[in-house]
């Protein structure tokens, strides 16, 4: 049954007038369960609890691929939480169309989100038919490669400055018994690494043709073939990772068991919890050191409709708290992400976060692919990439053809 059809049989609630406040408990679901993520969530909870209400944590282990179906099922099944995390983009599109999510426009207009949220595409992704349905809270970019300085020192080679120097260092790393590239078993990890290679190695123009314009000819072309060739090498370099979760792969870099990981900037939270210092213990390469780009993905919170005026009022308070200056700084410094507000003080930012802020300030940004493709297309592409990653006998040419065939039918 589709979300729209399910919605038709649910009792519709409306945004009720905000009356006198009473302390209420709000269940908030998300998939942040690693050490760095838990530290960041604690900042959100602390800020909301300070309003006199209570954050009831509903963490779902296993990452977004596991959590999103559970979240959607609860909302469509009549057992909604008070707030839930999704990524920026089209993941909640059908829930909005079905009338199951709160309209936050009043809060957004009162607090001037349109003037505060940067880049504006993040708020645009929350907006449908002129109404705001989510609170964007951070900018997360996949476009990073994290390097263990100790691993390269052990291998007797300099810390690379880009993907091509990394490739040259691989033989020395393998000789020293170090896994060159850590990629965990969760399907989204190999898809994310592939997409990073696409921007860095195929180039920005080709990436736009494939991921934004959905140009199948570009996906079949020679520039995109470079991505598949690099993915085949990465598949071989990562074969001895033998962990499942992304933060376990990050820990391999932290401990020097692996030399590198392609992972979003949320990995910084793990380095921070481990007491490592950017530029000293580890090095970060935005855009694999080839194309320094920030993709403006990230996280936003949506608020399902509830038949309880006091909880509805508390939902609006939570949305407001999430966008406050203090919460934006406290949360994002722990999370490793960049605040969505353009008016906050980030003097405490570390070396890697400053690199990201500099790229953002220069305007070198691209939308995350979840904002340009439907969830169905994204899932189909992920299936092909995961199969390629897990099947050494699949050639780059075969993977590229199957990928391009999906792009040809994409919406």
């Amino acid at each position: 049954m589709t979300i729209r059809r399910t919605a038709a049989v649910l009792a519709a609630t409306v945004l009720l007038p905000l009356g006198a406040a009473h302390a209420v408990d709000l269940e908030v679901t998300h998939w942040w369960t690693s050490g760095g993520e838990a530290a960041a969530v604690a900042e959100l909870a602390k800020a909301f609890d300070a309003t006199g209400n209570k954050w009831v944590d509903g963490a779902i282990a296993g990452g977004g691929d596991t959590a999103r179906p559970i979240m959607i099922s609860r909302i469509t099944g009549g057992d909604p939480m008070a707030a839930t995390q999704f990524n920026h983009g089209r993941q909640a599109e059908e829930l909005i169309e079905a009338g199951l999510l709160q309209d936050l426009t009043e809060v957004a207009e009162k607090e001037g989100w349109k003037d505060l949220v940067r880049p504006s595409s993040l708020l645009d992704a929350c907006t449908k038919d002129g109404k705001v349905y989510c609170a964007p809270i951070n900018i997360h970019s996949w476009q990073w490669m994290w390097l263990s300085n100790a691993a390269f020192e052990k291998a007797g080679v300099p810390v690379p400055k880009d993907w091509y120097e990394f490739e040259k260092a691989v033989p020395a790393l393998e000789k020293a018994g170090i896994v060159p590239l850590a990629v965990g078993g969760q399907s989204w990890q190999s898809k994310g690494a592939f997409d990073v290679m696409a921007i860095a190695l195929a180039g920005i123009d080709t990436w736009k043709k494939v991921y934004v314009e959905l140009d199948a000819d570009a996906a079949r072309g020679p520039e995109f073939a470079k991505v598949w060739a690099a993915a085949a090498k990465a598949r071989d370099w990562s074969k001895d990772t033998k962990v499942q979760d992304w933060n376990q792969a990050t820990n391999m870099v932290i401990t020097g068991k692996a030399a590198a990981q392609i992972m979003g900037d949320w990995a910084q939270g793990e380095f921070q919890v481990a007491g490592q210092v950017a530029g000293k213990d580890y090095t970060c390469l935005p855009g694999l050191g080839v194309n320094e780009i920030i993709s403006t993905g990230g996280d936003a919170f949506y608020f399902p409709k509830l038949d309880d005026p006091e909880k509805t009022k508390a939902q609006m308070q939570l949305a407001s708290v999430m966008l406050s200056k203090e919460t934006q700084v406290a949360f994002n410094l722990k999370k490793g992400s960049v605040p969505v507000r353009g008016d906050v003080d980030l003097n405490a930012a570390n070396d890697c976060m400053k690199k990201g802020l500099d790229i953002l300030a220069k305007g070198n940004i691209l939308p995350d692919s979840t904002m340009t493709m439907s969830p169905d297309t994204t899932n189909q592409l992920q299936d092909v990439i995961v199969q390629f990653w897990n099947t050494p006998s699949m050639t780059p040419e075969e993977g590229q053809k199957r990928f391009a065939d999906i792009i040809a039918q994409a919406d």
Side-chain angles (χ1 to χ4, degrees):
M1 180 180 287
T2 65
I3 290 175
R4 295 182 185 87
R5 195 175 302 168
T6 303
V9 300
L10 295 177
T13 59
V14 296
L15 185 63
L16 297 173
L18 304 184
H22 297 286
V24 297
D25 294 352
L26 291 187
E27 181 194 7
V28 185
T29 57
H30 58 85
W31 55 80
W32 292 324
T33 57
S34 74
E37 290 172 331
V41 170
E43 295 295 339
L44 295 179
K46 181 170 68 174
F48 181 61
D49 288 353
T51 68
N53 297 297
K54 183 173 177 56
W55 173 293
V56 178
D57 201 68
I60 301 172
D65 288 350
T66 299
R68 275 189 296 272
I70 296 171
M71 295 164 172
I72 292 171
S73 178
R74 284 190 55 185
I75 295 169
T76 59
D79 181 30
M81 64 297 289
T84 191
Q85 171 198 9
F86 286 115
N87 296 125
H88 299 316
R90 299 172 62 181
Q91 293 173 354
E93 193 170 70
E94 288 195 13
L95 294 171
I96 294 171
E97 292 171 353
L100 298 174
L101 299 179
Q102 298 281 17
D103 177 0
L104 306 181
T105 306
E106 183 178 347
V107 175
E109 290 181 349
K110 179 180 179 181
E111 300 188 356
W113 289 5
K114 186 175 181 180
D115 297 322
L116 296 174
V117 175
R118 292 291 180 271
S120 59
S121 59
L122 299 180
L123 191 60
D124 291 343
C126 286
T127 305
K128 188 170 179 62
D129 299 329
K131 296 181 179 180
V132 178
Y133 287 95
C134 68
I137 62 167
N138 62 8
I139 301 169
H140 261 320
S141 175
W142 252 104
Q143 310 305 315
W144 294 89
M145 189 173 189
W146 308 94
L147 308 173
S148 165
N149 292 0
F152 288 96
E153 183 179 353
K154 180 180 178 181
V157 292
V159 176
K161 296 182 177 62
D162 59 36
W163 174 261
Y164 305 109
E165 289 187 7
F166 174 71
E167 184 175 355
K168 292 177 182 177
V170 165
L173 293 167
E174 291 179 328
K175 185 178 180 180
I178 297 167
V179 175
L181 185 66
V183 181
Q186 294 164 311
S187 58
W188 60 268
Q189 294 184 56
S190 48
K191 167 68 162 54
F194 180 92
D195 289 347
V196 172
M197 289 185 277
I199 293 178
L201 305 178
I204 295 167
D205 290 341
T206 298
W207 183 89
K208 287 181 178 178
K209 287 179 181 178
V210 175
Y211 285 83
V212 180
E213 299 170 20
L214 304 177
D215 185 335
D217 289 336
R220 296 187 183 100
E223 292 304 311
F224 213 66
K226 296 177 184 177
V227 182
W228 284 96
K233 293 177 181 177
R235 176 177 63 184
D236 181 61
W237 298 337
S238 64
K239 64 182 183 296
D240 293 325
T241 302
K242 303 192 187 310
V243 298
Q244 180 71 9
D245 295 340
W246 71 268
N247 53 303
Q248 294 174 318
T250 304
N251 188 63
M252 291 179 67
V253 179
I254 290 171
T255 57
K257 294 177 182 177
Q261 180 188 28
I262 299 173
M263 184 53 59
D265 49 16
W266 49 89
Q268 278 205 90
E270 302 305 301
F271 286 100
Q272 184 169 308
V273 168
Q276 295 211 337
V277 178
K280 176 185 175 184
D281 301 306
Y282 66 98
T283 296
C284 53
L285 297 180
L288 306 185
V290 180
N291 274 314
E292 294 192 349
I293 288 291
I294 291 294
S295 59
T296 52
D299 303 291
F301 276 85
Y302 291 79
F303 301 81
K305 287 183 176 179
L306 302 175
D307 192 13
D308 183 327
E310 293 301 331
K311 286 191 174 182
T312 297
K313 182 178 179 65
Q315 287 176 312
M316 301 303 116
Q317 289 179 297
L318 177 55
S320 175
V321 164
M322 286 177 166
L323 268 292
S324 73
K325 281 187 178 183
E326 296 78 10
T327 307
Q328 281 281 294
V329 172
F331 170 78
N332 284 291
L333 285 177
K334 292 284 178 67
K335 191 71 168 61
S337 48
V338 176
V340 298
R341 289 184 66 130
D343 62 346
V344 297
D345 181 5
L346 280 174
N347 287 329
N350 67 22
D351 180 67
C352 291
M353 187 180 286
K354 286 177 180 176
K355 286 182 182 180
L357 289 168
D358 183 58
I359 294 168
L360 194 64
K362 291 175 181 176
N364 296 339
I365 59 175
L366 289 174
D368 189 84
S369 62
T370 58
M371 301 167 116
T372 64
M373 294 178 173
S374 70
D376 181 59
T377 296
T378 298
N379 290 337
Q380 289 184 59
L381 295 176
Q382 179 168 286
D383 288 344
V384 170
I385 293 165
V386 170
Q387 185 177 1
F388 175 80
W389 214 274
N390 295 331
T391 312
S393 61
M394 182 185 278
T395 66
E397 292 77 16
E398 183 181 354
Q400 184 176 8
K401 180 183 182 304
R402 291 180 58 185
F403 187 100
D405 288 346
I406 295 169
I407 293 295
Q409 302 297 321
D411 56 351

